Amino acid sequence: MGAFRNSSGGTLDRTQRIRFRFDGKQYSGFQGDTLASALLANGVRVVGRSFKYHRPRGVFGMGVEEPSAMVRLRTGARAEPNVRVTEVELFDGLEAHSQHCWPSVNFDLGAIANVMSPLLPAGFYYKTFMWPATKWMFYEHFIRKAAGLGSSATEPDPDNYSRSYEFCDVLIVGAGPAGLSAALSAASSGAKVMLVDETPDGGGRLRFDDEVINDGPADKWLNETLRELSKMPNFEFRFRTTAFGYYDQNMVVALERVSDHLPEPEPGQVRQRVLQIRAKQVVLASGSIERSIPFGYNDKPGVMLASAVRGYALKYAVACGRRAVVFTNNDSAYATVTALHSVGAQVVAVVDSRTQSPGKRALEQLGDAKLIQGSVVIKTKGLRSVQAVEIGQIADEGDSPKKSHTIRCDLVCVSGGWTPTIHLFSHAQGKLNFDDSISAFVPGADIPALHVVGSANGEFSLAACLRQGSDAGIESAKQAGYETTASVSIPTAPEESVGDMEPLWSVPRTGSRVKRFVDIQNDVTIDDIELAHTEGFVSVEHLKRYTTLGMGTDQGRTSNINGLANLARLRKAEVPEVGHTTFRPPYTPVSLGALAGVDFSEHLSPVRRTPLHQWHERNHAHLQNSGVWKRPAYYPRTGESVQDAILRETRHVREKVGITDVSSLGKIDVQGRDAAEFLERIYINRWKSLQIGRCRYGLMLREDGFVFDDGTSTRLSENEFYMTTTTANAGPVLEHMEIYAQTVWPELHVHLTSISDQWAGMALAGPFSRNVLNTVIGEQAASNENLPYMGVINARIADVPVLVFRVSFSGELGYEIHIPSRQAELVWETILAAGQEWEIAPYGLEAMTILRIEKGHVVAAELDGRTTAADLGFGRMMKPDGDYVGKRLAERSALTANGRKQLVGIKSIDSSPIPRGAQIIAEPSGGKPAQTFGQVTSACFSPHLNQEIGLALIKDGRLIYGKTMYAASPLTGREVPVEIVHHIFVDAEGERVRG
Amino acid sequence: MLLIPCPWCGKRAQTEFTYRGDATVERPDLADSDSQWYDYVYTRDNPRGEHTEWWHHTGGCRKWFKVRRNTWTHEVISSEPPVRD
Amino acid sequence: MAKSPFKRYSGFSLLRNALSNHRRWPRAWRDPEPRKSYDVIIVGAGGHGLATAYYLAKLHGVKNIAVLEKGWLGGGNTGRNTTIVRSNYMLDGNANFYEHSLKLWEGLSKELNYNVMFSQRGVLNLAHSDSEMESFAIRGNAMRLNGIDAELLLPDQIRQMVPHLDCSQSTRYPIFGGLLQERGGTARHDAVAWGYARGADALGVDIIQNCEVSGIRVKDNRVVGVDTNRGSIDAPKVGLAVAGNSGRLAAMAGLKLPIESHVLQAMVTEPLKPIIHTVVTSGASHVYINQTDKGEVLFGGDLDLYNSYAQRGNLPRIEYVVQSVLTLFPCLRRVRLMRTWGGVMDMSMDGSPIIGKLPIDGMYFNGGWCYGGFKATPGSGWCFAHTIANDEPHELNKALSLERFETGALLDEKGSGAFAFSH
C-alpha cells in the first residue's frame, strides 16, 4: 500500500485498508497508520507551507514535536485548523486539506515572500510601514491577509466535551519504559495508580526502537506489562491522554481525546474530555524529544528527525526516502541506518560531526554504510524537497566548513541530540539545570511529591530508565502511604557504552544568503538570531519576542535550545548563563471546546427562576434576565403592543390593584440576643427602638462610606429580624454581614441565615389592595388599625401561613406577602381569584420601574457605588451617635463637601422623552463638548402625570429646584430641556401609602 | 485549582470560597484617628511571600476564616478560625 | 559598535541594510554601566518607566536620567497584556487622561520612528441587558461631551461588524447592543517598550537592565538615592514605575499603598486566518477578545481573585474565560488554546491609577494600573515626566493623586468600593 511502504513489517493491521483524502485526492493506508505515516507511504512530501516565507514543508517529526506538517482536518462545522498530521490516527473517510497556501500547496503564490525574504528579516515590521504616518492600517490590511495558518470553522462544533475529576495516589505521566516500570512497582504496592499517555497504545520508544528487556525483545515485555497492569484493580490506564498542565497543589490537568480517532463520536460519546487529576504523588516520565541541527536549507521536505525516520520504518514499515543521509552529533541516530535498511531504503552515508568514534553499538548499527566523521551537512539542494546534500569538513571554531562533496539523496535524517520534556516540571516551578554531558536542561532541585524519571530526567540508557522508573514507583507509593511488601523485580536491559554527544548548535555560515533554519514553523533563521543580537535583543525573552522563535504551535520543541545556544555563542556566554524562556501551560494546544466543557452559551451561568416561574410562563409573561434571575417584564394581552402593556399595568396599579412577583429579593433571617444591636451597626439608621411587628426602611454603607444596599427589615420578635435586600446584592449583603458578625464583632450573639430560597414574595399594590387582602386573610384583618403602614402581621392565605408587610415600592397603598416557596403559586392564585372583583392584574418589572420612578425610589441605577446617603436624600437617617459600618469614612471631606451630585427629579419641559443615559449640561451644546453636571439615572413616561420624567444625579441638585438644564445625549443626537424638581413625583406626603 | 482548608469542613476546592484579602488589618474604634481608619480601609502590606487573608466558605459552612498562604508560590500553609483576643 | 549611516528606520533603510545582509544595523539601545549619580532615576523599564524617561529627556530637558530594571526591559506587564488601547471612561478624572494618552498613541510610531502597529480597529463593548445599555449610554454620552468618540450600536449593526459573534436569542445573555469606540484598538505591546527604549536611549537616557533596586535611601524625608545589586546610585529624584511590585518598592521607603498585587491571566489560540477584526469585550462575563496580526485570538478575563505575585494563574479562571469566549464566538470551539500566562497587577482600591507625588520629597509614584496600564503608556509617561520635572502634577493627572483615597475623591468607575480585587 503506497510506493514507500514495505510489504511486511510494522505493527499495522494490514487487513483493514483505510481510504482518506488529502487536498481532494484519494489515498489509502492501514488501520494503525497516522495521517503522517499514510502520507509518507504514499510519497506525499509537501504537506504545508511555512508561516512567514511560505516555503514548502513536509513531515519532520513523528508526534507532538512536529513543527510544520499541519493540515485542516475534517470539513464543515467539524473542521479543525493547524492539526499536526503526526498526531492524527487514520480513520476511514478522513479528509484533510493543506493550509496557508494559495492556490495549492505545491504552487503557492504566497511564496513571493520567500523571494522578498532579504527585505523581511526578524522584526522588519517595526522598522517600516510608517509612511505616511496614518496609513498603518492600510498596510495592516494586507499583513492580516497573510496572517494565520489555517482557518477555523465558521459554524458551531456539533460535538460535545466533558470534564472529569480524578483522584489517585500516584499519577504517572508517560507510558514509555520508565513510566511503565514505575507503574509496575507503584501498582504492586496497592496504591491507586493512574497512567496517562498521549498515544493510543503507549510504549514510547519501545514501539519503534529495537531493544532488549529482560533478555527478550522489548515489545514482548511491553505487551506483557500492559497485560499485567490491565489486570490490576488499582490501576487505570488512560490512552490518548496528554497531561498538559501542572497546577498548584499537585493538580495535573490532562486532555483525553476520546473519539478523535473515529470519523465522528458515537452517539452519546464526547469528543474530548479534560481530566483534572489530584494525585498524592506524580511521576513524570514524559520522555525526551530529538532536536534538529540548523544547516543550510534544513527546512525542506525530506529533512526529518532521525528518530522519526526510524519510527516510520519500524512501526509503519514506511521508508521516508529511498536514498538517505544521516546527520548526527550523537550515537542514537545510528539505529536509523538499520531501520531504513529494514524497509529497503539505502543509507548513503552517516555524517557525524564528532571526530571521536561512536560507541560500539552504534558502529554495529552502521553496518556497511559509509561513515563521514568530523563533517557536517552544509546545505540541502533541491527545489521543493531534498535532492542532494553538500558535505563539508568541520573547520576551526566559527569558520565555515569546507565543502568536500555532494551526495545525491532524497532524505536527511538529522539528530542534534535529545531534549528532555520537562514542561510539567517547569509548570510546577521546578528550576532547571544545564547538563553539559547531554547539552540539555534537566530538572534541578526536587519538588515535593513530583518525581522526574527516565529520559525526561536526562537519562537516555534504557537500563537506567527502567531502574529510575521502578525506584520512583516504589518511592511515590511509599510517600502516598503504600509500603511495597513483595519484592519488586526491576526490568533489566543490557548496559551499553554510548559515545558522548558533542553539541552542534548550528553549522557555520557558508554563504551570505544560505538560510539555516532554527524554527521551521515560524521561519526563524540563524541570521535572524544574529540580527537580534546585533541590535541588542540579547535576553532570551527579547530574542523570542523579536524573532518569534519558538512562538509557534509546536512551541519550539525541536528548536528552542538551538536558538538559546546560538544566542549564547554570540554573547560569548554559556547556555545556562543565557537561560531559557518560561514554559507555560498548556504543554500542547488544547481545544477551547474541551476547556469550556458544557458551561457556555445558554449554560454560561445558572438560571434562577422564582417559585412562580411556571405561572408566569403559563400566563405568557415576557421573561427577561435580571442578573441571574428570569423575571416577568410584562404580561402582554392579545394584540397589545409592548408599550401599551406596560402602561396598562402601570395605570392598573395606580387606579385599581396589581400584583407582582418579588421573590428574587434577598431575605436574611437575623436572630440572636444582639440582633438589634447588630443591625444598628450594619444600617445607618436605628433598629433597637423598632417595635415588634413593625418594619423599617434601612440603608447600609460600605466601610468606605458609600451606599451599599437598601431594603426593609422587620422585627418579628425581640431577637429576630426578617431582613430584605435588593435582588442583586442578596449574596454580597449576606457575606458582608457575616464578616462583621464573625470577625469584627464576634462578641455579638447573632446568627444569620439566608432564607431567600425558602420564601417567595409578592407585592400587592393599588387602591383596592386592602380589599383584596381582606378577602383572603379575613375581614378587616388588614385594616389600618390592625396593619398600619410599616406594620407586619402573621396571617393565613389558603391555609398557608404567610407574613404580610405593609410596605410600598410604588407609592400606592400596598403590601408585600411572603410565603414559603412551595406554596407560592397556591397563594398567588388564591389572591388572583379573590381579586377578580377588583380586576386584579399581574404586573411586571417594567411597570414596577415606572411606578418606582414616579415614587422616587432608588435602585441600582442610583445606588451606583459612588453615591452617599446624603446624595440620595437620606442624610438625616444617619444616626449621629454610635458606630456603624461606613460611619467614619462617610465623614471624609470629599463625601461631605458642596458640589456633590444629588438625587433630584427631572421633568421634560417640551414633553419630548428624556433620553436614557443622558448627561446633564447647563446650556444647549450645539453638538460640541460641554461640561457635565450630572447624569440621568432613570427616565420614563409617567402615565400618572402624563409627563416625561426621570431621576438624575446632579451637582448640588437640591439647591436648584425649578432650574432648567439640558439632558444631552450626543449618542442619539438629542437634547431635551428639563426642569429640576424634587425626586418624588407621586404621593410625596405619603397619604396614599398610609391611607 | 487551589485547595482551601476550611477549619470546619476540611480541604475543599477554591471554587467553593470567596476571597476578601488581608486579614491582618483590624477595624479601629470610632474614637481612633482618621489615619487609622484610612489604613484599615485602604492601605495594605501586600507582601510577596506569606500573607494572612480572609476566605469565606460561601458554598459550604459560610464561615469566614484566616488562611496563611504564600503569594509567591501559592502554597497554602495553614488556616484558623477568626479568633480575636 | 559599528556606526551605521542608516540610524533612522524606514523602508529605505531596510532596503539598504538588505544589501549588507542586515549585519550593520545599529543597536536599538546601549547597555551602559550605571553611573554614580543621576538627576532622575526611574525604577522600572516597562513601557511606563521608559516613556517617562523619554518625555523627561525630550520635553523637559532633563539630561542625566537612568532607568533601572531588575530583569529585561519590557518584561513585566508591558509584554504580558492583551494590547488593547481605548479611552472609553466615564469619570472626568479618568477620561481626560486616557484621551490624552490615546492622542499620543495616534502619533506614536512617527514620534518614535518605530512602528508600534497602533491599529484603530475599534473597541466594542457588548451590552447584555437593558440596564447595561443604559449605563453604556451614560458613559458614551459622558465621553462625547468630553470630546471622545463613542457610538451606541444596535444588535443589527453589531452583527454586521462582527460576523461570527452569536447575536441570537438562544444564549444565556443575548446581546442588546454595544458601545463602540472607533478610535480604540490594539498596538504591538513589545514594540512600545522597544520604541520608547530606543527613543530614550538616543536622547542619552541610561537604560540599565539586570539592575535590581534593593533599597531606597531617604534622609530627612528627602530621597537621596537607591541601592541596587550593581551598587548605590544617587539621585535627588526617584520615580517608581513598577506596577505589580509597587507595594514592595514603596515598602523600601517605608510607605504603604492602597494597592494589592493580583495575578491576571491572558491567553492565545493558535494562529488562524483573521475572522475577528474588532476588539470585542463583554461585561456579562468580563472578557475581552481580539485577533492579532499574526492570527492568534488573544483574550483575557478577570483576576484569579486572590493576592499573588506569581506570574502564573490557575485553571478555573482559564476555563471561565474560555467559556465566555465560546459564548460569544461559538465557531471557535475546535480552535486550540496555545499559550496562557499571567501578569501581576497593581490593583488599586478604587480601580484607577495613581500618578503623583509620594509623601517623601523627591519621590514620585506611578502605579495602581489595575487591568488598564498598557493603553495608558504614552499618557502615563507624559504626565509622570511632567510631575517629576515640575514637582507637581499636570492638570491631566491631578485627579489621579494618592491623596484621593484619604479625601474620598475617588475614581471608582465600577462603583465597587475599597476592594482591590473587585475592580
Side-chain angles (χ1 to χ4, degrees):
Chain A
M1 182 52 39
F4 290 81
R5 176 104 67 194
N6 215 35
S7 55
S8 65
T11 51
L12 303 154
D13 180 355
R14 293 193 190 237
T15 63
Q16 301 232 37
R17 184 173 292 192
I18 291 180
R19 292 186 175 283
F20 69 102
R21 280 174 182 277
F22 174 65
D23 276 344
K25 198 171 161 198
Q26 184 89 45
Y27 297 97
S28 69
F30 292 120
Q31 182 72 40
D33 260 327
T34 63
L35 180 53
S37 64
L39 286 170
L40 288 165
N42 283 284
V44 177
R45 303 209 99 185
V46 182
V47 178
R49 291 276 169 166
S50 66
F51 187 82
K52 187 173 172 187
Y53 299 138
H54 287 254
R55 292 172 62 88
R57 290 288 180 261
V59 176
F60 182 76
M62 203 180 158
V64 65
E65 77 282 4
E66 174 61 45
S68 55
M70 287 176 289
V71 295
R72 190 170 195 255
L73 187 66
R74 297 185 165 90
T75 55
R78 286 199 170 93
E80 186 183 10
N82 308 340
V83 178
R84 286 186 277 269
V85 297
T86 54
E87 293 190 295
V88 178
E89 293 175 53
L90 206 61
F91 55 83
D92 210 36
L94 178 149
E95 256 192 79
H97 287 90
S98 56
Q99 50 180 35
H100 199 53
C101 52
W102 187 86
S104 80
V105 72
N106 285 312
F107 179 74
D108 174 18
L109 285 180
I112 187 82
N114 190 33
V115 181
M116 303 278 288
S117 65
L119 287 174
L120 313 175
F124 72 96
Y125 27 76
Y126 301 124
K127 294 173 177 153
T128 183
F129 305 127
M130 289 182 283
W131 186 89
T134 51
K135 282 289 176 273
W136 161 244
M137 287 188 72
F138 169 80
Y139 298 114
E140 190 189 34
H141 176 79
F142 295 98
I143 288 173
R144 282 177 85 80
K145 286 224 182 286
L149 287 166
S151 329
S152 77
T154 52
E155 296 297 312
D157 181 1
D159 293 341
N160 293 312
Y161 299 81
S162 73
R163 180 185 302 162
S164 79
Y165 301 88
E166 306 285 343
F167 300 86
C168 60
D169 295 310
V170 180
L171 170 71
I172 299 162
V173 178
L180 286 169
S181 173
L184 278 175
S185 343
S188 70
S189 73
K192 190 179 170 199
V193 177
M194 183 184 252
L195 176 55
V196 301
D197 190 90
E198 61 192 7
T199 68
D201 49 7
R205 61 185 276 200
L206 302 181
R207 293 274 176 204
F208 46 81
D209 268 354
D210 204 3
E211 300 283 1
V212 170
I213 297 180
N214 290 351
D215 301 323
D219 54 351
K220 180 165 165 274
W221 177 83
L222 171 61
N223 292 329
E224 282 168 8
T225 302
L226 291 175
R227 221 174 7 247
E228 189 180 338
L229 286 169
S230 67
K231 284 186 201 144
M232 301 174 93
N234 57 330
F235 177 83
E236 190 178 357
F237 213 144
R238 295 287 186 116
F239 294 114
R240 298 187 174 101
T241 302
T242 306
F244 67 79
Y246 193 109
Y247 289 90
D248 293 317
Q249 296 162 316
N250 253 21
M251 189 175 89
V252 173
V253 188
L255 180 75
E256 184 178 8
R257 290 174 300 280
V258 179
S259 56
D260 272 350
H261 59 294
L262 305 174
E264 57 186 68
E266 309 281 350
Q269 192 180 36
V270 296
R271 177 184 170 223
Q272 296 176 341
R273 177 184 295 134
V274 167
L275 312 178
Q276 297 190 8
I277 309 165
R278 285 255 179 229
K280 288 186 187 146
Q281 299 279 314
V282 176
V283 177
L284 198 57
S286 43
S288 54
I289 288 172
E290 196 165 34
R291 55 189 182 234
S292 183
I293 298 172
F295 57 91
Y297 306 119
N298 58 331
D299 63 322
K300 274 181 205 143
V303 177
M304 295 177 68
L305 291 176
S307 57
V309 172
R310 198 152 74 234
Y312 288 116
L314 296 178
K315 188 167 180 185
Y316 305 102
V318 168
C320 296
R322 305 213 189 277
R323 281 173 60 86
V325 166
V326 175
F327 178 25
T328 184
N329 64 350
N330 66 83
D331 277 11
S332 71
Y334 283 75
T336 305
V337 178
T338 34
L340 278 170
H341 285 157
S342 75
V343 288
Q346 183 189 354
V347 179
V348 194
V350 174
V351 180
D352 192 325
S353 64
R354 298 172 295 182
T355 42
Q356 91 267 26
S357 221
K360 184 164 152 276
R361 186 163 179 218
L363 284 172
E364 284 166 21
Q365 288 162 330
L366 177 68
D368 50 10
K370 185 176 172 193
L371 175 61
I372 309 175
Q373 281 181 277
S375 293
V376 293
V377 173
I378 295 172
K379 66 178 182 191
T380 66
K381 292 180 159 186
L383 195 58
R384 270 205 292 273
S385 64
V386 175
Q387 286 167 347
V389 290
E390 276 182 13
I391 310 292
Q393 279 250 295
I394 287 192
D396 288 341
E397 192 162 349
D399 287 356
S400 306
K402 256 263 171 18
K403 179 187 159 186
S404 55
H405 56 298
T406 300
I407 300 175
R408 205 166 48 77
C409 64
D410 59 358
L411 178 66
V412 182
C413 315
V414 62
S415 176
W418 291 79
T419 305
T421 302
I422 34 66
H423 296 64
L424 292 189
F425 179 80
S426 287
H427 296 173
Q429 304 301 293
K431 294 276 170 285
L432 304 180
N433 289 337
F434 192 75
D435 182 340
D436 279 318
S437 71
I438 57 168
S439 291
F441 285 102
V442 294
D446 286 348
I447 287 190
L450 177 59
H451 315 258
V452 190
V453 297
S455 68
N457 197 28
E459 185 50 74
F460 296 142
S461 109
L462 179 59
C465 286
L466 293 166
R467 229 175 7 246
Q468 274 189 4
S470 182
D471 290 350
I474 294 168
E475 180 60 24
S476 58
K478 189 172 154 194
Q479 286 181 27
Y482 294 84
E483 200 77 52
T484 310
T485 45
S487 70
V488 179
S489 69
I490 301 172
T492 57
E495 306 280 349
E496 292 145 0
S497 74
V498 177
D500 291 338
M501 71 92 71
E502 254 178 32
L504 178 61
W505 302 119
S506 62
V507 171
R509 181 196 312 277
T510 50
S512 62
R513 296 271 184 237
V514 177
K515 288 191 170 65
R516 293 163 294 161
F517 287 85
V518 180
D519 177 332
I520 66 171
Q521 180 175 126
N522 278 348
D523 287 332
V524 181
T525 64
I526 295 287
D527 287 355
D528 290 323
I529 293 172
E530 289 178 359
L531 172 64
H533 177 259
T534 303
E535 293 193 274
F537 294 87
V538 293
S539 105
V540 287
E541 283 286 348
H542 283 158
L543 176 75
K544 167 180 119 181
R545 287 152 184 267
Y546 194 62
T547 63
T548 73
L549 172 73
M551 293 185 83
T553 61
D554 62 323
Q555 300 184 359
R557 287 183 224 293
T558 59
S559 63
N560 271 354
I561 185 75
N562 290 331
L564 304 181
N566 276 289
L567 179 65
R569 167 177 64 82
L570 295 161
R571 279 175 54 178
K572 301 187 169 48
E574 298 299 319
V575 177
E577 259 178 82
V578 168
H580 55 87
T581 54
T582 316
F583 294 102
R584 306 203 176 276
Y587 163 64
T588 180
V590 179
S591 70
L592 299 183
L595 285 165
V598 298
D599 304 321
F600 68 101
S601 202
E602 69 264 44
H603 304 298
L604 180 66
S605 73
V607 174
R608 297 197 69 181
R609 299 177 180 89
T610 78
L612 294 164
H613 186 83
Q614 287 173 347
W615 189 93
H616 301 317
E617 279 191 327
R618 282 201 308 275
N619 287 274
H620 315 294
H622 178 83
L623 290 160
Q624 73 174 42
N625 285 319
S626 172
V628 290
W629 292 90
K630 293 280 184 195
R631 298 180 65 184
Y634 49 88
Y635 301 81
R637 292 180 179 168
T638 321
E640 197 178 39
S641 74
V642 174
Q643 192 56 26
D644 288 350
I646 294 166
L647 293 179
R648 169 182 51 75
E649 289 176 10
T650 311
R651 283 199 194 95
H652 204 80
V653 172
R654 292 259 179 256
E655 290 159 15
K656 293 181 175 143
V657 57
I659 186 167
T660 192
D661 181 0
V662 295
S663 302
S664 64
L665 288 178
K667 298 165 221 83
I668 300 167
D669 186 48
V670 185
Q671 289 195 44
R673 66 168 186 256
D674 295 318
E677 172 65 28
F678 182 69
L679 289 191
E680 193 95 3
R681 298 189 196 181
I682 289 293
Y683 282 126
I684 65 172
N685 48 335
R686 297 192 190 281
W687 291 85
K688 284 199 270 202
S689 57
L690 184 68
Q691 289 169 11
I692 293 168
R694 303 283 295 175
C695 57
R696 184 168 279 174
Y697 176 75
L699 194 71
M700 58 179 84
L701 309 183
R702 298 184 307 234
E703 200 68 274
D704 66 357
F706 294 95
V707 175
F708 177 25
D709 199 58
D710 69 346
T712 54
S713 290
T714 302
R715 192 164 206 164
L716 296 178
S717 70
E718 180 63 26
N719 295 329
E720 183 176 10
F721 288 80
Y722 184 99
M723 174 187 264
T724 65
T725 74
T726 60
T727 297
N729 278 333
V733 165
L734 181 61
E735 272 171 41
H736 170 83
M737 296 208 299
E738 281 168 335
I739 199 167
Y740 282 94
Q742 295 170 21
T743 76
V744 182
W745 303 307
E747 69 280 6
L748 293 186
H749 288 259
V750 58
H751 196 86
L752 307 167
T753 310
S754 167
I755 49 170
S756 299
D757 296 345
Q758 287 74 14
W759 288 81
M762 49 197 75
L764 185 67
F768 298 125
S769 56
R770 180 178 292 136
N771 308 55
V772 176
L773 193 58
N774 277 331
T775 313
V776 289
I777 64 172
E779 221 35 56
Q780 297 310 308
S783 70
N784 223 358
E785 293 71 44
N786 264 354
L787 183 53
Y789 182 56
M790 299 308 261
V792 182
I793 55 169
N794 285 298
R796 295 185 93 83
I797 298 177
D799 217 26
V800 177
V802 301
L803 278 171
V804 183
F805 306 82
R806 173 96 181 266
V807 293
S808 171
F809 194 57
S810 57
E812 289 302 321
L813 175 66
Y815 303 87
E816 259 184 40
I817 300 152
H818 287 215
I819 317 112
S821 294
R822 280 162 185 260
Q823 278 87 35
E825 197 172 312
L826 171 62
V827 169
W828 174 272
E829 297 260 27
T830 305
I831 296 173
L832 282 177
Q836 270 188 355
E837 188 183 342
W838 294 277
E839 296 176 51
I840 191 169
Y843 64 101
L845 267 181
E846 295 287 350
M848 202 192 300
T849 298
I850 295 175
L851 292 164
R852 74 97 192 162
I853 294 174
E854 289 176 338
K855 176 63 184 171
H857 263 305
V858 290
V859 296
E862 289 80 29
L863 309 180
D864 66 0
R866 291 180 291 271
T867 43
T868 66
D871 295 344
L872 300 172
F874 297 122
R876 276 181 301 179
M877 273 171 72
M878 300 166 82
K879 51 185 172 275
D881 53 308
D883 190 4
Y884 58 84
V885 176
K887 180 184 172 80
R888 275 300 295 272
L889 268 66
E891 292 164 3
R892 286 181 290 173
S893 59
L895 278 75
T896 51
N898 291 331
R900 288 195 61 84
K901 291 178 184 173
Q902 297 172 329
L903 179 69
V904 293
I906 49 174
K907 285 181 177 175
S908 169
I909 289 175
D910 63 6
S911 40
S912 56
I914 298 169
R916 297 177 67 197
Q919 292 283 331
I920 300 293
I921 56 177
E923 300 293 337
S925 72
K928 295 207 168 58
Q931 194 194 344
T932 59
F933 292 85
Q935 73 267 16
V936 177
T937 54
S938 318
C940 68
F941 171 73
S942 162
H944 181 72
L945 302 169
N946 193 25
Q947 204 165 25
E948 297 287 345
I949 63 166
L951 297 177
L953 288 163
I954 297 180
K955 224 170 233 189
D956 286 329
R958 286 198 289 269
L959 299 177
I960 52 169
Y961 290 150
K963 189 174 169 179
T964 299
M965 295 190 91
Y966 296 83
S969 173
L971 290 173
T972 51
R974 297 185 57 233
E975 248 167 52
V976 175
V978 294
E979 183 192 346
I980 314 296
V981 297
H982 191 271
H983 65 277
I984 302 179
F985 294 89
V986 167
D987 196 34
E989 305 305 318
E991 285 159 6
R992 287 171 184 247
V993 297
R994 290 170 206 277
Chain B
M1 179 86 79
L2 296 179
L3 290 178
I4 302 296
C6 172
W8 293 277
C9 308
K11 278 188 185 175
R12 294 287 187 276
Q14 110 195 32
T15 42
E16 293 182 17
F17 296 85
T18 308
Y19 177 77
R20 177 89 161 203
D22 196 335
T24 63
V25 291
E26 287 208 13
R27 193 172 186 271
D29 289 329
L30 215 46
D32 287 332
S33 70
D34 285 354
S35 74
Q36 278 170 289
W37 277 93
Y38 165 71
D39 282 341
Y40 166 61
V41 174
Y42 288 108
T43 67
R44 298 291 176 259
D45 281 337
N46 193 25
R48 189 177 86 177
E50 292 194 9
H51 187 236
T52 305
E53 56 200 22
W54 289 119
W55 287 79
H56 181 240
H57 199 178
T58 315
C61 66
R62 296 205 66 93
K63 293 285 194 214
W64 285 95
F65 57 96
K66 291 178 185 180
V67 172
R68 191 131 183 92
R69 188 183 56 90
N70 190 311
T71 61
W72 178 238
T73 63
H74 293 172
E75 184 196 357
V76 177
I77 300 148
S78 60
S79 68
E80 54 172 321
V83 278
R84 286 216 317 174
D85 23 82
Chain C
M1 186 176 71
K3 262 268 190 266
S4 162
F6 307 110
K7 268 203 124 154
R8 271 191 77 76
Y9 291 160
S10 67
F12 176 69
S13 70
L14 204 57
L15 199 64
R16 289 297 300 260
N17 276 287
L19 300 178
S20 58
N21 296 312
H22 301 288
R23 282 189 211 120
R24 295 179 59 202
W25 285 105
R27 283 187 69 113
W29 47 78
R30 296 164 296 130
D31 184 17
E33 281 301 312
R35 296 204 297 260
K36 290 271 6 132
S37 80
Y38 289 92
D39 295 339
V40 176
I41 287 174
I42 305 294
V43 185
H48 292 244
L50 293 165
T52 305
Y54 175 81
Y55 291 116
L56 270 172
K58 175 97 189 274
L59 303 178
H60 301 282
V62 182
K63 290 276 179 280
N64 297 307
I65 306 168
V67 184
L68 309 183
E69 169 56 51
K70 73 172 175 186
W72 37 282
L73 68 87
N77 295 327
T78 304
R80 292 168 190 275
N81 59 79
T82 46
T83 78
I84 299 166
V85 176
R86 59 187 172 86
S87 65
N88 52 359
Y89 285 79
M90 174 176 66
L91 303 174
D92 291 352
N94 277 327
N96 295 327
F97 166 76
Y98 282 108
E99 176 61 11
H100 178 68
S101 196
L102 183 55
K103 290 201 173 111
L104 291 173
W105 275 110
E106 286 171 331
L108 196 59
S109 293
K110 183 161 183 261
E111 167 77 26
L112 298 176
N113 176 233
Y114 205 90
N115 187 358
V116 300
M117 304 183 202
F118 178 47
S119 172
Q120 294 181 292
R121 63 182 73 166
V123 173
L124 173 65
N125 302 163
L126 298 173
H128 300 268
S129 69
D130 213 31
S131 56
E132 211 177 347
M133 270 306 262
E134 190 150 355
S135 56
F136 278 5
I138 291 179
R139 178 149 60 103
N141 283 322
M143 289 165 64
R144 289 281 283 267
L145 289 163
N146 269 321
I148 304 168
D149 73 301
E151 269 177 82
L152 215 49
L153 300 190
L154 296 172
D156 270 345
Q157 294 168 288
I158 291 172
R159 195 174 292 126
Q160 284 203 340
M161 190 172 174
V162 192
H164 298 283
L165 197 60
D166 182 0
C167 293
S168 74
Q169 294 297 309
S170 63
T171 180
R172 178 69 181 87
Y173 294 110
I175 292 167
F176 273 62
L179 183 68
L180 172 71
Q181 185 179 25
E182 267 197 315
R183 286 165 59 242
T186 60
R188 170 84 188 119
H189 55 7
D190 289 328
V192 177
W194 300 342
Y196 272 119
R198 175 168 167 267
D201 178 86
L203 293 167
V205 173
D206 281 357
I207 302 165
I208 303 160
Q209 302 183 70
N210 300 309
C211 180
E212 182 164 11
V213 171
S214 53
I216 295 174
R217 286 182 287 119
V218 178
K219 216 168 150 189
D220 303 330
N221 201 45
R222 167 154 263 300
V223 72
V224 292
V226 299
D227 298 324
T228 77
N229 60 342
R230 293 170 72 172
S232 285
I233 309 175
D234 295 338
K237 289 186 174 186
V238 174
L240 306 182
V242 291
N245 283 288
S246 291
R248 295 177 58 223
L249 267 289
M252 291 177 193
L255 300 171
K256 263 188 176 186
L257 297 170
I259 285 176
E260 287 179 6
S261 295
H262 282 263
V263 68
L264 177 65
Q265 300 193 69
M267 50 210 94
V268 286
T269 68
E270 296 184 341
L272 312 172
K273 295 291 170 206
I275 55 168
I276 304 169
H277 299 288
T278 311
V279 179
V280 178
T281 84
S282 161
S285 50
H286 197 193
V287 63
Y288 31 97
I289 306 164
N290 72 80
Q291 192 170 7
T292 69
D293 285 349
K294 216 184 154 191
E296 304 153 335
V297 183
L298 168 61
F299 45 88
D302 242 322
L303 301 172
D304 273 20
L305 294 183
Y306 41 79
N307 284 43
S308 174
Y309 280 92
Q311 286 176 328
R312 67 201 160 85
N314 220 325
L315 191 67
R317 178 59 62 206
I318 295 173
E319 289 174 337
Y320 187 63
V321 169
V322 169
Q323 287 159 359
S324 307
V325 170
L326 293 186
T327 300
L328 296 176
F329 294 101
C331 70
L332 297 180
R333 280 178 84 193
R334 286 180 104 94
V335 167
R336 286 183 299 257
L337 191 71
M338 183 167 74
R339 242 191 333 270
T340 68
W341 63 92
V344 182
M345 304 295 110
D346 252 17
M347 295 304 296
S348 75
M349 285 290 186
D350 67 354
S352 291
I354 301 165
I355 306 177
K357 297 169 68 172
L358 285 173
I360 293 168
D361 289 341
M363 277 203 74
Y364 308 88
F365 182 74
N366 175 323
W369 289 102
C370 301
Y371 295 72
F374 178 68
K375 62 179 171 285
T377 307
S380 162
W382 195 94
C383 286
F384 199 36
H386 179 100
T387 306
I388 293 171
N390 298 288
D391 197 36
E392 63 176 18
H394 189 272
E395 196 57 38
L396 286 166
N397 62 314
K398 234 179 198 159
L400 304 176
S401 72
L402 182 60
E403 295 78 46
R404 73 177 186 269
F405 296 95
E406 278 175 78
T407 64
L410 302 160
L411 290 169
D412 189 349
E413 293 269 343
K414 209 169 153 192
S416 55
F419 303 107
F421 49 82
S422 71
H423 293 286

